[in-house]
Amino acid sequence: MTHDDRVTLPSFPTLASLPAADHPTLLAPPVAAALAGWAGASEVAVVEIDPDLADTAAMSEAFDIPLTASGNCVVVSGARAGEERIAACVVRADTRADVNTLVRKMLDVRKCSFLPMERAVAETGMEHGGITPVGLPEGWRVLVHEALLEEPVVVLGSGVRRSKLLVPGRILADLPGAEVVADLGR
């Protein structure tokens, strides 16, 4: 990688980023595959980080990134008439997904709970602490907190703990299967 390959986003001068689609080794395989087929991929960057900084609070502190510019992705499930319904909820990091009320109603289930981490990791092909809405299994709903669309750049997982994606907030609505939800984060 040469210095010319790097891109520094004005919103986060502490992060030197690279075009994500050109650096698939910094991504989980499903994320790299999804970017290869997504029109918005040309605007997505990746930044390599110390895996110990993968958790949102540690990353925000280390790189002086406001929590409002970070998105957390949680995977939830519920069942109705024997049919399991799964959704990934992407919320601004200074909020929590309204799983027990809003998401439960959107999935039309009696009870909604977090997918066990082992299962989420196995089914997404992503690492614990790196799950992202980019490259999720087909058929999963992707609920996106509307507030993230207002951010110039959103920091998301890359599928692995050793890097992060930098995505213009406005294109999160264009993710395959994305549903923008106003009050998803509380």
Side-chain angles (χ1 to χ4, degrees):
M1 145 178 49
T2 67
H3 185 283
D4 293 337
D5 291 336
R6 293 184 176 271
V7 177
T8 301
L9 298 173
S11 300
F12 306 123
T14 56
L15 298 175
S17 59
L18 303 165
D22 295 343
H23 297 277
T25 59
L26 292 175
L27 311 169
V31 176
L35 287 175
W38 182 40
S42 63
E43 297 186 67
V44 178
V46 65
V47 60
E48 192 168 7
I49 62 166
D50 178 332
D52 290 338
L53 299 177
D55 294 331
T56 303
M59 173 86 179
S60 294
E61 185 177 330
F63 295 101
D64 195 28
I65 297 170
L67 290 176
T68 55
S70 292
N72 287 335
C73 184
V74 296
V75 181
V76 298
S77 70
R80 175 76 149 204
E83 172 197 346
E84 183 178 44
R85 300 170 185 189
I86 298 177
C89 303
V90 188
V91 296
R92 208 170 64 187
D94 66 337
T95 68
R96 292 177 182 236
D98 184 6
V99 173
N100 294 321
T101 305
L102 182 64
V103 176
R104 180 184 57 77
K105 287 178 183 175
M106 289 185 74
L107 293 179
D108 190 26
V109 295
R110 284 183 77 208
K111 183 181 177 197
C112 193
S113 56
F114 294 100
L115 203 64
M117 186 51 62
E118 301 78 24
R119 183 170 170 213
V121 166
E123 291 192 25
T124 62
M126 301 178 199
E127 295 177 2
H128 173 231
I131 293 177
T132 184
V134 180
L136 291 171
E138 192 171 321
W140 284 19
R141 292 177 72 179
V142 180
L143 308 179
V144 178
H145 188 186
E146 184 179 54
L148 288 171
L149 276 57
E150 299 168 12
E151 293 297 323
V153 178
V154 177
V155 178
L156 295 172
S158 65
V160 295
R161 291 183 61 86
R162 62 186 178 86
S163 66
K164 292 286 186 180
L165 293 178
L166 305 177
V167 180
R170 64 181 163 66
I171 70 170
L172 291 174
D174 298 330
L175 283 169
E179 301 171 48
V180 177
V181 183
D183 295 322
L184 183 60
R186 297 214 175 235

